[in-house]
Amino acid sequence: MGKKHPDDPRAVVRKLMKKGKVKKKCCRSKSRCKKCPVLALKKAKNDLAKAA
């Protein structure tokens, strides 16, 4: 069986970028947009911490 969650949150964000779900660069708006890579990385780190 394969892994469901990779060990590297950055790899998760890179996959999302390739799929077009996350932008490649943050626009640095005051309230972060839904496609922000900064928020995607934070979410990936939280998901990884919960899975472990």
Side-chain angles (χ1 to χ4, degrees), residues 28-43:
R28 297 188 208 156
S29 65
K30 199 65 169 170
S31 60
R32 304 267 189 206
C33 64
K34 291 180 183 177
K35 288 189 166 194
C36 183
V38 176
L39 284 182
L41 185 61
K42 281 185 181 180
K43 185 178 184 303

Side-chain angles (χ1 to χ4, degrees), residues 5 42-52:
H5 299 285
K42 281 185 181 180
K43 185 178 184 303
K45 285 180 182 179
N46 282 341
D47 290 346
L48 184 65
K50 286 180 182 178

Side-chain angles (χ1 to χ4, degrees), residues 25-26 37:
K25 191 172 180 182
C26 179

Side-chain angles (χ1 to χ4, degrees), residues 14-34:
R14 270 182 261 145
K15 281 185 180 182
L16 291 172
M17 281 181 190
K18 284 185 178 183
K19 289 181 181 179
K21 305 269 183 188
V22 173
K23 295 188 297 185
K24 293 191 181 206
K25 191 172 180 182
C26 179
C27 60
R28 297 188 208 156
S29 65
K30 199 65 169 170
S31 60
R32 304 267 189 206
C33 64
K34 291 180 183 177

